[in-house]
Amino acid sequence: MISCIDCIPCFVRQALDACRMITADEALIQSLLSRVLALLSERKLDVPPPVIVAEIHRLIRAELGKDDPYEALKKRSTEKALELSESATKMIAQSKDPFAAVVRFAIAGNILDFGAKTQWDEKRVLHSFYQALDKNIPQDKTDALRCRLEKANTVLVLGDNAGEAVFDRILIENFPGQPKVNYAVKGSAVINDVTAKDALDAGVGAVADILPNGTDIPGTWLESCSPEFRRVFDSADVVISKGQGNFESLGETNREVFFLLQIKCESLGKRNGYSVGDWVVASRGGQANTLTGKDAAV
């Protein structure tokens, strides 16, 4: 999914937020934002938003000498997710359909996204988790994923955000069968996307092999990923993609991918038949049906 002019205000807002996490020097921030605006004025919008976001964040990290501006937010996200995980695990075990319940909690965890909204909002986070079991996600889409997993020898999970990775771990723990699982993380820090360290902090290393994708793009832009990652992506029996950045950047993939996410962007929603706030279970690519709009969202 290529970028559009509606993405530009979000790019600038995100750049400002990242700068303010590092410095209070308004003159320095203004200078950096001028460079960001210059970059955007010359940049064609012919690639998915995460590709342009990565370019902006590289500039900011280099100029301000901070490798991981979102480090404190990521740590707080993981701590909150671990705090919530015990009660979530109990509710999943007590559910009539534990697999459908764990899928809901995996989507609930996607609220821990500080690219879409940088400020920590405790009520917003808790609301996402406490409504998880009330979400009537499409049973046929969940059953299709379950069926693929039952037959799978290998599974690749594309991680999205730090903190959210705790609920990805719980999802993996509840996979039917005993597939070998790879968990893809970013090659280096960008926004609050999950890195190898964040995945280890979330306990993912106990249930999956952690696989850096070789890039700092906050999505999965295959042409920038490492050959090793692309080999695993192509060969996995099942690929599960978490979050909006992966959804945006994998729109044209030739293989089947299952997407689990919350819609947080009005422009993305309109272009794909969703509304902001929708919870999505969808599959597309390869032999999968293209699932869009209310048919795939609740």
Side-chain angles (χ1 to χ4, degrees):
M1 188 188 93
I2 64 171
S3 303
C4 65
I5 57 173
D6 289 328
C7 298
I8 293 174
C10 187
F11 292 153
V12 176
R13 188 269 309 158
Q14 196 176 107
L16 175 59
D17 289 345
C19 288
R20 282 182 168 161
M21 288 185 187
I22 305 170
T23 180
D25 186 331
E26 294 287 317
L28 178 57
I29 293 173
Q30 183 177 352
S31 175
L32 266 172
L33 288 181
S34 295
R35 293 188 60 185
V36 169
L37 290 168
L39 182 158
L40 292 173
S41 71
E42 299 173 357
R43 187 63 166 89
K44 291 183 178 180
L45 301 176
D46 58 352
V47 293
V51 177
I52 298 176
V53 167
E55 295 173 7
I56 292 170
H57 281 271
R58 285 174 201 147
L59 186 159
I60 292 170
R61 292 195 305 269
E63 289 299 315
L64 295 182
K66 181 72 171 178
D67 292 335
D68 192 355
Y70 290 72
E71 183 176 10
L73 267 177
K74 292 199 294 181
K75 184 174 184 293
R76 186 173 185 181
S77 297
T78 299
E79 290 172 349
K80 175 55 67 174
L82 288 170
E83 177 186 319
L84 292 167
S85 65
E86 184 176 350
S87 59
T89 300
K90 290 179 181 177
M91 286 188 280
I92 291 165
Q94 294 168 359
S95 171
K96 292 181 180 179
D97 186 345
F99 182 74
V102 80
V103 168
R104 292 187 182 96
F105 277 104
I107 299 172
N110 189 229
I111 199 66
L112 294 165
D113 177 354
F114 297 102
K117 187 173 183 179
T118 305
Q119 291 75 23
W120 179 267
D121 186 336
E122 186 88 2
K123 290 182 179 179
R124 181 168 170 262
V125 171
L126 293 176
H127 177 70
S128 181
F129 287 98
Y130 291 144
Q131 69 174 328
L133 292 183
D134 295 329
K135 284 287 184 178
N136 184 27
I137 62 174
Q139 191 65 39
D140 58 335
K141 314 307 188 282
T142 305
D143 287 343
L145 175 57
R146 187 193 337 246
C147 180
R148 298 290 198 283
L149 288 170
E150 287 172 347
K151 301 173 182 177
N153 292 314
T154 58
V155 178
L156 173 63
V157 178
L158 307 177
D160 187 20
N161 301 306
E164 180 178 351
V166 171
F167 290 88
D168 296 343
R169 171 186 36 94
I170 297 172
L171 174 65
I172 294 167
E173 289 171 343
N174 284 270
F175 280 172
Q178 294 183 317
K180 172 180 169 52
V181 181
N182 282 289
Y183 186 79
V185 299
K186 302 304 180 288
S188 57
V190 60
I191 321 180
N192 71 306
D193 278 38
V194 61
T195 63
K197 179 184 182 302
D198 302 320
L200 289 170
D201 290 344
V204 175
V207 296
D209 291 336
I210 296 172
L211 175 66
N213 69 3
T215 181
D216 64 348
I217 293 172
T220 302
W221 186 232
L222 291 172
E223 66 184 62
S224 295
C225 292
S226 69
E228 179 187 5
F229 172 82
R230 292 198 301 270
R231 177 185 60 78
V232 174
F233 180 87
D234 290 337
S235 63
D237 294 326
V238 176
V239 175
I240 298 173
S241 167
K242 292 297 304 297
Q244 190 167 282
N246 287 325
F247 183 81
E248 290 172 317
S249 51
L250 280 172
E252 303 302 322
T253 183
N254 291 323
R255 66 149 302 147
E256 180 182 46
V257 177
F258 286 88
F259 295 92
L260 307 178
L261 68 148
Q262 295 186 31
I263 299 295
K264 310 179 192 80
C265 168
E266 184 176 358
S267 174
L268 177 142
K270 285 181 178 179
R271 287 194 279 172
N272 290 275
Y274 299 111
S275 299
V276 172
D278 283 349
W279 288 26
V280 176
V281 180
S283 62
R284 64 187 181 195
Q287 299 301 312
N289 294 323
T290 299
L291 305 174
T292 58
K294 297 302 180 182
D295 180 52
V298 291

